[in-house]
Structure formats: structure tokens, C-alpha cells
């Protein structure tokens, strides 16, 4: 047979313009999300460099104290609302439709609106640097009464803009969540039952359900905060009969689950990648999938552990200590499942695999300090110290961001159609892993010694560990250079990727790289077995051989 | 070769709107939206039970008779909208439009009653947590009633497009669900604010 038996592929060779337009293709939106997120990642990272530059000496010498307050507030806000959530939504957009064999998301236009809100509230947040009084300075959680002060009396002030931006981010995330959940529930390929769905989709479903339950509480709390700040109500104002702790409940009811919204998809990434690079099926697939929903259930009833020193009743402290510790059970199930997958596998230490292994290592460390923090006496001792900052950054940077990097290296060939460079990738991994541990490990002894967070000057006895942490931070800053270099040069002139360069199993790997706009179109393959059939020789879909042969022929023709 | 039949040139794979998914998405949205009310309700209950002086000076409480009339009107409109939906399913467009319009009018009457009540009150937005929560809860709910009326108006206009409703519900079911949701929220709100004094 010849190539001519295939109908000519209508290849319009879409230009760069669509990445700057209101495009409703999930794959374009996914890349829009990821690129926008990394733009803000650089800004947030720059602020982190300023913070660590200030803290390299005990004196407050680099920036003004008031400016410092604004910088750490904006660092946290940008990294969470403008980097982590958008980059994960980008991965959801790329992976969910292709993994379940859907042509697009359930609501393509809603999807595009959700994305375009990100640059809008990003711009709003950035603009707050330039209003009189500067940006918000009450920390990323914006506790009243600090956050309801408006000393200059301007209607447009940094704190007000912060609240509006966070509320808009909530609207965008809810739109995204409705879309992802509907897509996963209603648009799966024939034969793909829930228990034949890749774990990434399970974790995305779990994480997005958490968004839907938790986020409205924060939005409600933020509306009341904005009214206190702007219109003189007294929901959180003690002098008017209000209760500042009420805001903490609203804030943490969402913002603790928000950590699971971030880490659950990363669990999904680990569960996808370990089998590929160990050549073994995922150990305990059903338990890994279901553990995601146990984490959702438990994750909604742990928020008071952020408020142990806020004057809550003793019975609440006891209750929430127990629920918090219980979270270790489903997460432990996952960690042991990954170890079981790795055990006796044929490990291939590619860049994505290295990032996964590093992320897993950091996650276990963060889990142990998490259990320490859940213990009421320890928590009260280290509350508001660098111990908390260290724990949090191990989770978010050490585990989540490394998992995100792993995902980007792993799926880059699929969605861009070109291979990233392994050498630069491994250099990026080395700098990230060493930098992150050098940066965040010293925060634990500092916290135990009693160094408070959110200060620009400190007792000279803390100098040594702070210098180490700052050097680690600068290493992390440098680590982004090989990453950007790798992504840009691979996108422009990297070697062409085949449809399945990692020899992975999954619907997305049965599509050409990059996939056509409507993915499988009308010919969605019928799924006949569970995912991760590595080493079993079992096909994933009907007529798998034919589909693969056709893709190989197309590649040979190109 | 069988694979040639898999792709058919000239028929681009269509994936525009999925009406069935719209309802799924809308139900998920309503579940999520109920959490924001839950947050406001629990905040209200917490502020009220922990308050030293709940009522501002010169305020004895809330008058409940007129809001009760309002409640009866709004709750009955849930019945009329259900009737409208029933007649739409029987393809009796005249009765559908009649009951649909009646539900809209009852919603509008509710908003009018709310406005009359607000204008006669002795306390404002900034009168402690009592005033703040009262206006926040009733205002946020009122915003939902107004949204519901707008959605119903849109559905009514769409009903005059020939053949618009022949293929499926096209939004009528979602709007009516939204209206029931607004009613249930109001019943909880009425119990919390007017009955529990």
C-alpha cells in the first residue's frame, strides 16, 4: 500500500496568532495558560530573589520595611494565583481531552473566557504596585484587621485591588472547574469506564471538585472583606461587633484544600510517569484512584489546623489535629503505590523521571514536617516561624513545581511536536533539586530556633542558615535559565517528535504529535483495558496496531 | 485497507455545543453557588450567636408580615414555573408562555416588595453586623432573583424563534432549576433572618 490511500491531511499550519486570540481549542488554551503562568513565575521569582537578598544580612538594608511587606505578599499571591493554578489548568486543558479521547472541552467558549480572565486579574494585581500606598502588604492570606486598614483613604488601593483580583481568580477557577468536571464525567471515549481512566484524570476530577466546594467560601469571605475595607461595614471589625477569626475560617476553608488542588494533579503526574519510566503497571491502581477522593473528603475538614493559635476551642484543636493526621493515610497509600511501581522496574532516568523522583523525595520530607505541624503543641511552638515557610515551600516548590516540570518535559513532545534537550533538562533538574533543598531545608532549623516569618531584619544568631537559604534561592533563580533555554530552542528547532517518543501507553500517545485540532475527531478508539498495561502486552484500545501503524506511516511521509 | 474508512474528507468533525452537557454544567454550578450562600449563612449564625449587642440602638427587630407575603409569592412562583415547564413538554406554547410570564411577574413583585421593605428600615448597611449581614444576605439573594428574571426573559424571547425548543429543552430546564434554587435559598434565609429573632 502507498501513502496515497490516505486522504490529504488538511494542514492549515496554524500560525502564532492564535496564541494571542480568543481561541476555543483546548490545546491552544492549555499552552496559553502555561506560557502566561511562566511569565508570572518569573515576576514572582524575582520578588523571591529580593526577599532572599534582603535576608542574606541580619539588618534591614536592601528594601524599605514597608516595601518588604508588599513584596512577600505579592510573591505569595502571584505564585499561587498567577502561576500554580494557571499552569495546572494549562495541563488540565492539554491532558484531559486527549487522555479521555474527547475532541475538546465540554464548554469551549467558557474555557476561553476562564483563561482570558487570568491576564486581566494579573494586570490588576501588577497595577497595584503603582497606586498610591503600594500593593497589598498584609501577607497572602490578608487577615483582618491589617487587611481592612486604608490609611490613605483612597477608593483604589492596593488591598482593594488584591481582593478584587483574588475574587476574579476565583471566578476563573470556577468556570474552569465546571468545564473540567463536566468533560470528565460526560465526554469519555467509548469503553473508558471510570476505573479505566488514567489517574491524572482521577486526580483532576478530585482537585476540581475541591475547587467547586471550597472556592465559593473564599469568594464569600472576600466579598465581606472588600465591604469592610471599602464601604465601612463591620463583619470582621471587632469595634463594630465583627469577628476577625470568621475571615480566617472562610479563608482556610478554601485555602487549605487549595493545597490539595495543587498537589492532587501532581500525584496524578507521578502516577502517570512512574509506570512509563519503570516499565511496570501502576501498583494498586484502584486504591491510588480512590485515595484521591478520600483526600478530598478529609481535606475539607482540616482547615482549623491553620488557626490553632487563633483562639479556637480546645475540642476543635483536638478534632482537627486528628483529621489532619488522617490525611497521611491516603497520601501514604499513594506513596507506597509509587514505591511499589518503582520496585524491580527497569528505571529510565530521563529528565521527567528525575523530576518525579526528586519531587517524591521532597514530598515525603514535607509530609513528615506536615505531621509535626498537625500536632497542636508543636504547631503552637513553631507557628508563624520559618518552619511553616519551609514546610510549605517543600510541598509547593519541592514537590508540586517539580512535578509540573516533569509533566512539561514529558508531554512537551506530544503538544509541541518537538523533543526537549536531555542535557539541559538534567542540568535544570540538578540545579532545581540542589537549590530547593539548600533554600528550604535551612528554614526548618531557623523556625525551630524561633525566627519569625515576614520580617526583614533578624537576630544575628540566625545569620548562618539564612545565608545558606539565600544561596540556595539564587541557585533556584539560576535554574530557570536552562529551562527557558531548553523550551525556547526545542520549540523553535528541536528534533521532530514521533507520536510516542517515551513508548508510553495512553490515548494521548495514539494521536499524532502535535494532535490535530479535534483530536480523534469521529474515530475515537474503544478502550478495552485498564491504563498502564506495561509489560503485559495487552492492548489499550481496539485496533491499536492499525492506529499505530497509520501514525508511523504518517510520520514516515512527513 | 480498513483504515481509509476511518477518516472521511470533507466532513470536518463537528464539536460545537452539547445541550446535554449544558445541564450537567449548570447543576455543578448550582452546587458550587450554594456553598457561597452556606458561607454567608454560617457567618451570619456565628456573628449572631457571638454578638453582645445584636440589634443596633433604636431597632426592635424586623417586621415579618410583609416579607411573609413576599415569601408566599416567591415560593408559589416555583409552582407556576414547574407548570410552565410541564406545558412546554406537552408543546402547549401558549400556556408555557403564560405561566412563564406569571413566574416572572411574581419574581418582579418579590423584588418590589423587597425594595419597599428596604426603604422603610431604620438601620443601614453600616449599623453593626446586624445591618451588614441583613443587607448582604437579602441583597445577594435579590441579585439572584433579578438574574433569574433576566434568564426567564431570555428564554421567553427564545421561545419565539421557530423550532428553538423542538430539539430539546435549550435552557428552560436550567432556568427553572435556578429558580427553584433561588426559592430554597430564600426559605432558609427567611427562617434565619425573620423567624429566628
Amino acid at each position: 500500500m502507498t501513502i496515497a490511500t490516505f486522504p490529504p491531511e488538511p494542514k492549515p499550519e496554524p500560525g502564532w496568532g492564535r496564541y494571542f486570540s480568543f481561541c476555543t481549542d483546548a490545546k491552544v488554551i492549555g499552552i496559553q495558560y502555561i506560557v502566561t503562568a511562566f511569565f508570572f513565575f518569573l515576576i514572582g521569582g524575582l520578588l523571591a530573589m529580593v526577599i532572599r537578598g534582603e535576608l542574606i544580612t541580619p539588618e534591614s538594608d536592601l528594601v524599605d520595611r514597608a516595601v518588604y511587606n508588599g513584596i512577600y505578599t505579592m510573591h505569595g499571591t502571584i505564585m499561587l494565583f498567577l502561576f500554580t493554578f494557571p499552569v495546572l489548568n494549562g495541563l488540565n486543558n492539554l491532558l484531559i481531552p486527549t487522555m479521555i479521547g474527547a475532541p475538546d472541552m465540554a464548554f469551549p467558549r467558557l474555557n476561553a473566557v476562564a483563561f482570558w480572565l487570568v491576564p486581566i486579574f494579573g494586570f490588576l494585581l501588577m497595577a497595584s504596585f503603582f497606586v498610591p500606598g503600594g500593593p497589598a502588604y498584609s501577607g497572602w492570606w490578608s487577615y483582618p484587621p491589617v487587611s481592612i486598614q486604608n490609611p490613605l483613604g483612597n477608593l483604589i488601593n492596593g488591598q482593594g485591588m488584591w481582593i478584587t483580583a483574588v475574587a476574579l481568580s476565583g471566578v476563573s477557577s470556577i468556570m474552569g472547574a465546571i468545564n473540567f468536571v463536566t468533560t470528565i464525567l460526560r465526554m469519555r471515549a467509548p469503553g473508558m469506564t471510570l476505573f479505566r481512566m488514567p489517574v491524572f484524570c482521577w486526580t483532576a476530577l478530585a482537585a476540581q471538585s475541591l475547587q467547586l466546594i471550597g472556592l465559593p467560601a473564599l469568594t464569600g469571605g472576600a466579598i465581606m472583606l472588600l465591604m469592610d475595607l471599602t464601604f465601612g461595614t463591620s463583619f470582621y471589625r471587632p469595634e463594630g461587633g465583627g469577628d476577625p477569626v470568621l475571615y480566617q475560617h472562610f479563608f482556610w476553608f478554601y485555602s487549605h484544600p487549595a493545597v490539595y488542588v495543587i498537589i492532587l494533579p501532581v500525584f496524578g503526574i507521578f502516577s502517570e510517569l512512574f509506570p512509563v519510566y519503570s516499565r511496570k503497571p501502576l501498583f494498586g491502581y484502584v486504591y491510588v484512584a480512590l485515595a484521591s477522593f478520600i483526600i478530598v473528603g478529609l481535606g475539607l475538614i482540616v482547615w482549623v489546623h491553620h488557626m490553632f493559635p487563633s483562639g479556637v476551642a480546645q475540642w476543635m484543636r483536638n478534632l482537627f489535629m486528628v483529621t489532619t493526621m488522617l490525611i497521611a493515610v491516603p497520601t501514604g497509600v499513594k506513596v507506597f503505590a509509587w514505591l511499589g511501581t518503582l520496585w524491580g522496574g527497569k528505571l529510565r532516568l530521563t529528565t521527567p523521571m528525575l523530576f518525579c523522583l526528586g519531587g517524591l523525595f521532597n514530598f515525603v520530607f514535607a509530609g513528615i514536617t506536615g505531621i509535626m505541624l498537625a500536632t497542636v503543641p508543636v504547631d503552637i511552638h513553631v507557628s508563624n516561624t520559618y518552619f511553616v515557610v519551609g514546610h510549605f515551600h517543600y510541598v509547593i516548590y519541592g514537590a508540586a513545581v517539580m512535578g509540573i516540570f516533569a509533566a512539561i518535559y514529558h508531554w512537551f513532545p506530544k503538544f509541541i511536536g518537538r523533543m526537549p534537550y536531555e542535557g539541559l533538562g538534567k542540568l535544570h533538574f540538578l540545579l532545581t533539586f540542589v537549590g530547593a533543598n539548600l533554600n528550604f531545608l535551612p528554614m526548618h532549623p531557623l523556625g525551630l530556633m524561633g525566627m519569625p516569618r515576614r520580617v526583614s531584619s533578624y537576630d544575628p544568631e540566625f545569620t548562618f542558615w539564612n545565608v545558606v537559604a539565600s544561596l540556595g534561592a539564587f541557585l533556584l533563580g539560576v535554574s530557570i535559565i536552562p529551562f527557558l533555554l531548553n523550551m525556547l530552542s526545542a520549540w523553535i528547532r528541536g528534533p521532530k517528535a514521533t507520536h510516542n517518543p517515551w513508548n508510553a501507553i495512553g490515548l494521548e500517545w495514539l494521536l499524532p504529535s502535535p494532535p490535530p485540532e479535534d483530536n480523534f475527531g469521529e474515530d475515537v478508539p474503544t478502550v478495552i483495558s485498564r491504563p498502564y498495561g506495561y509489560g503485559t502486552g495487552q492492548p489499550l484500545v481496539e485496533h491499536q496496531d492499525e492506529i499505530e501503524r497509520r501514525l508511523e506511516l504518517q510520520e514516515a511521509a512527513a | 485497507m480498513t483504515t481509509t474508512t476511518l477518516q472521511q474528507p470533507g466532513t470536518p468533525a463537528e464539536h460545537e455545543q452539547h445541550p446535554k452537557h449544558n445541564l450537567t454544567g449548570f447543576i455543578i454550578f448550582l452546587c458550587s453557588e450554594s456553598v457561597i450562600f452556606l458561607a454567608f449563612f454560617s457567618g451570619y449564625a456565628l456573628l449572631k450567636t457571638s454578638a453582645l449587642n445584636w440589634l443596633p440602638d433604636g431597632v426592635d427587630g424586623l417586621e415579618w408580615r410583609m416579607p411573609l407575603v413576599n415569601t408566599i409569592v416567591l415560593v408559589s412562583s416555583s409552582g407556576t414555573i414547574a407548570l410552565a415547564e410541564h406545558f412546554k413538554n406537552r408543546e402547549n406554547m401558549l400556556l408555557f408562555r403564560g405561566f412563564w410570564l406569571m413566574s416572572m411577574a411574581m419574581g418582579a413583585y418579590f423584588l418590589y416588595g423587597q425594595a419597599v421593605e428596604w426603604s422603610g428600615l431604620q438601620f443601614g448597611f453600616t449599623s453593626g453586623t446586624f445591618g451588614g449581614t441583613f443587607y448582604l444576605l437579602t441583597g445577594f439573594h435579590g441579585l439572584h432573583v433579578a438574574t433569574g428574571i433576566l434568564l426567564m426573559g431570555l428564554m421567553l424571547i427564545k421561545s419565539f424563534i421557530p423550532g428553538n425548543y423542538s430539539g430539546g429543552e435549550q435552557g428552560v430546564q436550567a432556568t427553572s432549576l435556578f429558580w427553584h434554587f433561588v426559592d430554597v435559598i430564600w426559605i432558609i434565609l427567611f427562617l434565619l433572618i425573620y423567624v429566628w429573632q
Side-chain angles (χ1 to χ4, degrees):
Chain A
M1 63 166 276
T2 57
I3 315 301
T5 54
F6 294 97
E9 280 276 300
K11 272 224 165 168
E13 197 58 48
W16 288 81
R18 66 195 170 129
Y19 290 110
F20 298 94
S21 69
F22 189 83
C23 181
T24 55
D25 178 4
K27 287 180 290 296
V28 173
I29 293 176
I31 290 166
Q32 285 175 325
Y33 262 120
I34 292 173
V35 173
T36 312
F38 272 99
F39 170 76
F40 286 110
F41 181 69
L42 293 181
I43 298 178
L46 202 68
L47 296 178
M49 295 300 106
V50 177
I51 293 173
R52 286 318 313 180
E54 169 65 69
L55 292 177
I56 204 163
T57 57
E59 299 81 30
S60 174
D61 42 14
L62 187 65
V63 289
D64 190 67
R65 282 176 201 275
V67 175
Y68 185 80
N69 290 342
I71 286 177
Y72 68 68
T73 301
M74 294 302 272
H75 163 73
T77 311
I78 290 171
M79 285 305 202
L80 284 171
F81 294 104
L82 283 165
F83 170 65
T84 319
F85 289 125
V87 81
L88 287 171
N89 273 354
L91 290 176
N92 283 339
N93 262 298
L94 293 177
L95 296 177
I96 290 174
T98 49
M99 278 181 163
I100 63 172
D104 202 335
M105 301 289 287
F107 312 113
R109 260 175 302 170
L110 189 73
N111 199 16
V113 174
F115 164 72
W116 280 104
L117 276 175
V118 175
I120 291 173
F121 74 77
F123 176 79
L124 185 67
L125 209 58
M126 292 305 119
S128 74
F129 276 104
F130 306 101
V131 295
Y137 47 77
S138 46
W140 82 275
W141 56 38
S142 273
Y143 276 4
V146 182
S147 59
I148 49 178
Q149 310 300 319
N150 187 3
L152 295 179
N154 295 329
L155 181 64
I156 294 174
N157 58 74
Q159 187 65 46
M161 292 165 89
W162 184 94
I163 300 170
T164 315
V166 168
L168 280 178
S169 146
V171 173
S172 158
S173 296
I174 288 287
M175 286 177 175
I178 291 171
N179 222 335
F180 297 131
V181 171
T182 312
T183 308
I184 293 174
L185 292 182
R186 301 298 297 265
M187 294 175 72
R188 293 192 306 277
M192 185 179 272
T193 58
L194 281 177
F195 284 100
R196 281 180 185 168
M197 199 164 69
V199 172
F200 181 82
C201 296
W202 272 97
T203 54
L205 184 64
Q208 298 302 322
S209 311
L210 262 183
Q211 291 275 55
L212 289 167
I213 302 169
L215 200 42
L218 175 68
T219 311
I223 291 173
M224 289 158 84
L225 192 67
L226 191 64
M227 280 159 70
D228 271 10
L229 177 75
T230 314
F231 304 118
T233 54
S234 44
F235 298 117
Y236 306 130
R237 222 180 270 281
E239 63 270 29
D243 183 3
V245 177
L246 179 63
Y247 174 81
Q248 299 186 14
H249 281 290
F250 286 144
F251 183 82
W252 289 116
F253 181 76
Y254 170 63
S255 295
H256 189 79
V259 182
Y260 300 117
V261 175
I262 293 167
I263 204 73
L264 274 168
V266 175
F267 290 168
I269 292 164
F270 289 166
S271 309
E272 294 294 323
L273 267 58
F274 284 136
V276 178
Y277 298 109
S278 317
R279 311 312 300 167
K280 276 180 65 191
L282 180 67
F283 185 86
Y285 164 79
V286 175
Y287 301 97
V288 175
L290 288 179
S292 316
F293 275 89
I294 297 173
I295 292 175
V296 169
L298 284 174
L300 284 166
I301 48 168
V302 300
W303 79 93
V304 175
H305 67 218
H306 291 270
M307 299 162 58
F308 285 157
S310 301
V312 292
Q314 186 61 40
W315 67 265
M316 273 176 113
R317 286 175 167 179
N318 297 344
L319 178 71
F320 282 90
M321 174 168 80
V322 172
T323 53
T324 305
M325 288 188 170
L326 279 178
I327 289 262
V329 177
T331 29
V333 166
K334 293 200 177 209
V335 170
F336 282 108
W338 297 324
L339 293 180
T341 310
L342 292 170
W343 190 265
K346 273 195 202 159
L347 304 194
R348 285 188 293 169
L349 294 179
T350 56
T351 306
M353 179 63 158
L354 286 173
F355 269 103
C356 275
L357 290 170
L360 178 58
F361 175 87
N362 288 338
F363 178 74
V364 170
F365 184 86
I368 292 166
T369 55
I371 291 291
M372 288 172 73
L373 281 167
T375 320
V376 176
V378 178
D379 183 81
I380 289 172
H381 176 66
V382 296
S383 175
N384 228 14
T385 69
Y386 261 89
F387 194 86
V388 180
V389 182
H391 162 75
F392 182 76
H393 282 83
Y394 257 92
V395 180
I396 298 298
Y397 205 100
V401 176
M402 285 187 72
I404 290 165
F405 280 135
I408 288 175
Y409 282 106
H410 182 72
W411 279 291
F412 186 92
K414 175 50 63 189
F415 293 101
I416 305 297
R418 291 176 186 274
M419 298 297 290
Y421 298 100
E422 273 294 298
L424 278 173
K426 284 183 172 139
L427 176 66
H428 175 210
F429 164 74
L430 191 73
L431 290 173
T432 308
F433 188 71
V434 174
N437 279 289
L438 212 56
N439 187 355
F440 306 130
L441 191 68
M443 293 181 176
H444 296 88
L446 280 174
L448 290 172
M449 285 155 75
M451 179 176 164
R453 65 195 291 198
R454 298 177 174 170
V455 290
S456 60
S457 60
Y458 52 83
D459 193 287
E461 69 166 320
F462 302 135
T463 312
F464 172 72
W465 288 117
N466 269 301
V467 171
V468 177
S470 289
L471 293 178
F474 299 147
L475 208 58
L476 272 188
V478 173
S479 79
I480 209 67
I481 296 171
F483 171 70
L484 292 180
L485 211 63
N486 198 348
M487 292 297 113
L488 284 176
S489 54
W491 198 335
I492 295 165
R493 55 179 189 92
K496 288 262 185 205
T498 59
H499 71 280
N500 191 359
W502 312 116
N503 210 1
I505 297 175
L507 282 186
E508 78 269 34
W509 302 107
L510 295 174
L511 284 165
S513 303
E517 195 186 325
D518 55 356
N519 297 340
F520 291 101
E522 303 290 306
D523 330 310
V524 185
T526 304
V527 179
I528 50 171
S529 66
R530 281 211 175 145
Y532 317 116
Y534 296 97
T536 61
Q538 228 180 1
L540 178 71
V541 298
E542 278 174 9
H543 313 298
Q544 184 161 331
D545 293 342
E546 281 170 32
I547 296 171
E548 282 178 340
R549 204 163 47 235
R550 191 174 50 162
L551 286 167
E552 278 158 21
L553 281 167
Q554 273 178 6
E555 276 154 13
Chain B
M1 178 87 211
T2 51
T3 47
T4 47
T5 59
L6 292 178
Q7 282 187 341
Q8 289 172 355
T11 53
E14 306 250 331
H15 56 95
E16 67 282 15
Q17 289 303 302
H18 316 275
K20 276 189 303 185
H21 301 161
N22 286 353
L23 195 61
T24 313
F26 198 78
I27 291 170
I28 295 171
F29 165 74
L30 283 185
C31 294
S32 187
E33 190 72 0
S34 63
V35 178
I36 197 165
F37 279 106
L38 200 69
F40 285 151
F41 289 156
S42 50
Y44 170 83
L46 199 112
L47 287 173
K48 180 166 181 171
T49 47
S50 64
L52 297 174
N53 301 307
W54 176 242
L55 293 173
D57 293 335
V59 178
D60 306 324
L62 288 161
E63 205 278 323
W64 57 269
R65 272 173 293 261
M66 195 182 151
L68 184 66
V69 175
N70 249 343
T71 308
I72 292 166
V73 171
L74 192 69
V75 172
S76 334
S77 73
S78 246
T80 56
I81 202 169
L83 271 176
E85 217 188 325
H86 168 79
F87 284 117
K88 202 222 73 175
N89 292 341
R90 295 205 164 180
E91 294 178 12
N92 185 339
M93 291 311 272
L94 192 72
L95 281 175
F96 160 65
R97 286 183 195 125
F99 279 108
W100 198 253
L101 207 60
M102 195 168 152
S103 315
M104 282 174 74
M106 286 159 100
Y109 173 81
F110 174 87
L111 280 186
Y112 168 75
Q114 185 91 65
V116 170
E117 193 204 351
W118 275 21
S119 61
L121 289 174
Q122 302 299 311
F123 55 88
F125 206 60
T126 51
S127 310
T129 45
F130 171 79
T133 50
F134 174 81
Y135 284 104
L136 178 73
L137 285 174
T138 52
F140 197 65
H141 176 265
L143 216 61
H144 280 74
V145 176
T147 313
I149 296 172
L150 285 177
L151 281 175
M152 281 150 84
L154 192 69
M155 292 307 130
L156 192 67
I157 294 167
K158 277 173 94 176
S159 81
F160 288 101
I161 300 171
N164 185 58
Y165 290 145
S166 51
E169 48 80 35
Q170 294 288 340
V172 168
Q173 216 177 337
T175 309
S176 135
L177 264 179
F178 183 73
W179 197 248
H180 296 316
F181 168 79
V182 168
D183 278 1
V184 171
I185 294 289
W186 176 258
I187 293 171
I188 303 170
L189 211 156
F190 185 77
L191 291 175
L192 273 178
I193 290 189
Y194 294 96
V195 179
W196 179 35
Q197 291 212 25

